[in-house]
Amino acid sequence: HTFTKQYPYPKIPPNLSQLEGKAAILFPSANEVFYNPVQEFNRDLTCAVITEFAREHLAQRGVRILVPGEKDRVVVRLSEEKNGTEDQEASEQPEKERQKEEEGLRVLEGLAASGLRSVRFALEVPGLKSITANDYSAKAAALIARNAQHNNVSHILQARQRDASMVMYEARGKKERYDVIDLDPYGSPSPFLDAAVQAVSEGGLLCITCTDMAVMAGNSGETCYSKYGSMSIKSRYCHEMALRIILHSLDQRAAVYQRYIEPLLSVSVDFYIRVFVRVKTGQAVVKNSASKHALLYNCVGCGAFHLQRMGKKMSQGKHMKYSAATGPPVGPNCEHCRQRHQLGGPIWAEPIHDIKFVQKVLGAISGNPTRFRTSKRIEGVLSMVTEELQDVPLYYVLDHLSSTVHCNTPPMLQFRSALLHAGYRVSLSHACKNAVKTDAPAGVLWDIIRCWEKSNPVKRERLSETSPAHRILSAEPTLQACFEIREDANPQSRKRHLTRFQENPQANWGPKARAKAGGGISSELEDKRKQFQGKRKKPITDSSQLKSLPCKKFRKVRPLDYNICSVFRIIGTLRVALLAVVTKLVSI
């Protein structure tokens, strides 16, 4: 290959390899390539989603694909099917299979690192015509080519060393666009979103990962606004809000080019979020974009929230009229606890999943559980996704509701039953273990908490008159809650004991160190963690140990400062003694 002559293969010891799915990835050294085994769930889910997307996309061209594990990897034209023997005949004719794959999908992985994800696409996802695995690092690009040859997928996988944005900008033409674009950066994908929404084909699939959760979850709202055009809020529903922030950003950038998004699946797991969206073109649909986004009013006291749509549409015969929305939906202070409101957003206010598509992916995983090592977790997460209320943005957390009024937390089944008895819908959320997603207003939730507090009273005398707890409990409930457990209060995913929320799989399982410019990753991350762990648990009695603390106050010049302070302390003592002697002499 011309590429491998320009960038020689790195020397790879035979023992440094990683097996995942059907791929065997070689590494030059332990710290040369960015690889996180915890994200195997991410890669497995992506393979499953792209497979179902390819099945739908190629069916429009009259091509049917067979998923690996069910039968051999085959692409069959529907018009050529006469009986059930064609599948077997096609599997025995590799040349015919390659001819059919010429009508397959074109895939781009913009930030490929070792190329593991692209190699797995080539080995496990049927119906692909070509895969471009790109990375800005020369070492990573050479390693991608090596791994493609090692797994015998060089005929379908091409390694490139370019800036990811430039690769996508050069593919903006309708004939050069990619059917699937996968972006899994370290941190924020915001620098690549503008190019991605242009380079994906009509009805194509965008797969985006965000690992900058501290920014999207409210720790740095101003940074979130600069990257995604939305102000994040530190709240209990921050993980779902992060999903809606990235969807807002994608739709806003696509609208510039008269395009819009259709979310297929959006999940918040582990330390990142992952969204799969279909991108289409339509000027008439883009006009409705404002009504799909909303501002968020969040009470800083009790956590009640309200959404305000950015626009509205009205039907006038055969035409639609679009105008600005009216508001705000709340007053200056919260009606429940009289605290102030925070303003966040805009965020995506429409459904974040396509339930029909999710059910297809779930059915494929359930029917072939041995395809992925994380199949049980995928089944559990997708089952919860199908149970979520799609028309209800964000959620409350039961622990937070009870802690606000300082009472015992009611059991989840009883609280859900109380909402169902009151005539409202309720569901869980895959983004939070104790989430309550419901169409009931905040006043109904506080009425249920008030009724629960009557049987589990708190000590009112200890509550401040200005606290949210005192103001909420001072009002009498207008709804008499019934806590009798209903059968439909327990969702099927919970009854079947599916793996819904996985525990930490290993130590230091979060994001790995940022890749260096030369292509490797920092080896000092673990040393820094050990240096900062428990630094204040053991009191320091020896002044010589102050030098080892990573603090600006205790520099090497600290002993000199200490001596100076001692001198001033002695001078002050002598001054007080001299003043006492002078006073006594004057009195004599």
Side-chain angles (χ1 to χ4, degrees):
H1 301 280
T2 306
F3 182 85
T4 57
K5 290 180 180 179
Q6 185 178 0
Y7 303 99
Y9 290 136
K11 295 181 180 180
I12 302 177
N15 59 332
L16 290 177
S17 63
Q18 177 69 36
L19 298 176
E20 184 177 297
K22 294 184 178 181
I25 302 299
L26 302 175
F27 297 113
S29 69
N31 290 324
E32 280 294 322
V33 186
F34 183 83
Y35 172 74
N36 192 346
V38 177
Q39 288 228 26
E40 182 177 2
F41 172 82
N42 185 335
R43 291 181 282 269
D44 287 349
L45 180 62
T46 303
C47 289
V49 170
I50 294 180
T51 299
E52 294 308 310
F53 173 78
R55 192 199 300 272
E56 287 187 359
H57 202 76
L58 295 179
Q60 301 174 1
R61 307 179 188 177
V63 177
R64 182 172 67 89
I65 65 173
L66 303 178
V67 179
E70 298 177 350
K71 289 184 180 181
D72 293 339
R73 186 171 180 270
V74 183
V75 179
V76 182
R77 179 169 290 279
L78 295 177
S79 60
E80 296 179 358
E81 289 186 348
K82 296 181 180 179
N83 50 51
T85 61
E86 273 74 1
D87 296 344
Q88 183 178 358
E89 293 176 358
S91 63
E92 296 173 355
Q93 299 178 8
E95 295 82 5
K96 187 175 181 179
E97 178 180 339
R98 294 192 188 97
Q99 293 176 1
K100 304 304 179 187
E101 288 184 351
E102 290 300 322
E103 302 181 8
L105 306 182
R106 298 176 65 243
V107 180
L108 168 66
E109 185 185 3
L111 309 160
S114 64
L116 170 59
R117 192 182 297 256
S118 294
V119 171
R120 291 196 58 185
F121 292 164
L123 294 173
E124 302 177 30
V125 180
L128 302 185
K129 178 182 178 180
S130 65
I131 303 172
T132 302
N134 175 78
D135 200 280
Y136 190 72
S137 168
K139 290 183 179 180
L143 189 62
I144 293 169
R146 174 78 183 244
N147 284 323
Q149 187 182 43
H150 181 70
N151 290 271
N152 299 320
V153 293
S154 298
H155 64 283
I156 190 175
L157 196 157
Q158 176 189 7
R160 299 187 66 180
Q161 188 216 344
R162 295 286 306 280
D163 179 85
S165 295
M166 294 307 300
V167 172
M168 291 185 286
Y169 277 129
E170 292 174 355
R172 288 178 295 176
K174 292 185 178 181
K175 295 183 179 180
E176 291 81 19
R177 290 175 179 174
Y178 295 95
D179 298 299
V180 179
I181 296 179
D182 189 298
L183 296 176
D184 190 359
Y186 185 94
S188 173
S190 58
F192 312 102
L193 298 183
D194 182 77
V197 296
Q198 297 182 69
V200 68
S201 63
E202 179 64 19
L205 178 67
L206 282 182
C207 313
I208 310 293
T209 301
C210 303
T211 57
D212 55 336
M213 291 303 296
V215 172
M216 305 188 74
N219 285 350
S220 302
E222 68 284 354
T223 305
C224 183
Y225 185 82
S226 66
K227 291 183 177 181
Y228 303 101
S230 178
M231 181 66 71
S232 60
I233 294 178
K234 184 179 290 187
S235 57
R236 299 291 176 168
Y237 48 76
C238 60
H239 291 95
E240 183 177 331
M241 185 177 181
L243 290 171
R244 296 183 177 276
I245 286 176
I246 183 62
L247 292 176
H248 156 76
S249 184
L250 280 169
D251 188 69
Q252 189 178 46
R253 302 190 193 207
V256 175
Y257 309 101
Q258 299 301 311
R259 312 193 79 182
Y260 61 95
I261 67 168
E262 292 180 351
L264 298 180
L265 174 63
S266 309
V267 294
S268 172
V269 292
D270 297 333
F271 55 86
Y272 60 91
I273 58 175
R274 179 75 163 168
V275 295
F276 303 88
V277 301
R278 184 183 281 122
V279 181
K280 294 184 178 180
T281 305
Q283 184 178 6
V285 181
V286 172
K287 289 183 178 181
N288 191 33
S289 178
S291 63
K292 297 179 182 178
H293 304 266
L295 293 172
L296 176 67
Y297 292 86
N298 178 75
C299 175
V300 299
C302 64
F305 58 85
H306 302 269
L307 293 180
Q308 171 64 61
R309 298 275 180 161
M310 300 289 292
K312 65 179 180 179
K313 61 178 181 179
M314 296 177 293
S315 177
Q316 294 183 346
K318 297 181 179 180
H319 303 282
M320 297 295 298
K321 181 180 180 182
Y322 302 94
S323 61
T326 57
V330 294
N333 300 102
C334 176
E335 60 179 323
H336 309 292
C337 66
R338 302 174 192 173
Q339 299 290 326
R340 58 186 173 84
H341 286 101
Q342 287 178 313
L343 182 62
I347 62 173
W348 179 262
E350 294 295 301
I352 60 177
H353 314 291
D354 184 339
I355 295 301
K356 293 183 179 179
F357 182 84
V358 175
Q359 289 174 342
K360 291 180 181 179
V361 179
L362 180 59
I365 295 295
S366 302
N368 188 13
T370 60
R371 183 182 178 187
F372 305 115
R373 283 191 294 191
T374 62
S375 292
K376 290 186 177 180
R377 189 185 181 194
I378 295 177
E379 184 179 1
V381 172
L382 296 187
S383 296
M384 292 197 69
V385 166
T386 59
E387 294 169 350
E388 290 182 7
L389 295 177
Q390 300 303 310
D391 57 342
V392 178
L394 307 179
Y395 53 80
Y396 292 92
V397 178
L398 184 56
D399 296 347
H400 180 253
L401 293 175
S402 58
S403 65
T404 301
V405 297
H406 306 288
C407 72
N408 296 332
T409 304
M412 177 63 76
L413 289 182
Q414 288 187 261
F415 191 84
R416 287 168 56 91
S417 299
L419 286 169
L420 293 174
H421 283 301
Y424 297 98
R425 296 177 296 149
V426 62
S427 74
L428 299 176
S429 173
H430 78 279
C432 181
K433 190 172 183 178
N434 294 321
V436 178
K437 186 184 283 284
T438 178
D439 59 347
V444 174
L445 298 178
W446 290 125
D447 279 347
I448 295 176
I449 291 295
R450 293 186 187 102
C451 294
W452 175 261
E453 188 271 338
K454 290 183 180 300
S455 57
N456 299 271
V458 300
K459 295 182 179 180
R460 305 285 183 94
E461 61 274 8
R462 294 186 177 182
L463 301 178
S464 172
E465 294 183 358
T466 59
S467 65
H470 184 273
R471 289 171 174 171
I472 291 174
L473 295 178
S474 297
E476 288 296 323
T478 58
L479 170 70
Q480 296 301 319
C482 176
F483 293 100
E484 182 181 353
I485 296 179
R486 292 179 42 154
E487 182 66 22
D488 54 349
N490 197 15
Q492 289 296 321
S493 61
R494 194 168 182 269
K495 290 181 181 178
R496 296 167 55 192
H497 303 286
L498 298 179
T499 305
R500 302 177 301 162
F501 303 97
Q502 179 172 296
E503 298 180 358
N504 296 354
Q506 62 186 34
N508 302 326
W509 59 280
K512 302 299 181 183
R514 180 181 293 274
K516 296 187 296 185
I521 61 174
S522 174
S523 59
E524 301 177 356
L525 182 63
E526 192 64 28
D527 296 337
K528 288 183 179 180
R529 284 172 174 166
K530 292 180 181 180
Q531 183 181 9
F532 283 88
Q533 282 179 353
K535 64 180 182 181
R536 301 187 186 277
K537 291 182 181 179
K538 298 179 181 180
I540 296 177
T541 56
D542 187 4
S543 61
S544 62
Q545 298 180 7
L546 295 176
K547 298 181 182 180
S548 62
L549 280 179
C551 182
K552 294 181 179 179
K553 293 182 179 180
F554 305 103
R555 297 175 179 174
K556 292 183 179 180
V557 297
R558 185 62 184 175
L560 178 62
D561 297 340
Y562 182 80
N563 294 334
I564 294 174
C565 291
S566 300
V567 172
F568 280 107
R569 190 180 300 109
I570 294 172
I571 293 175
T573 304
L574 293 175
R575 179 175 176 274
V576 172
L578 181 62
L579 182 63
V581 172
V582 172
T583 304
K584 189 173 182 180
L585 291 175
V586 171
S587 61
I588 293 174

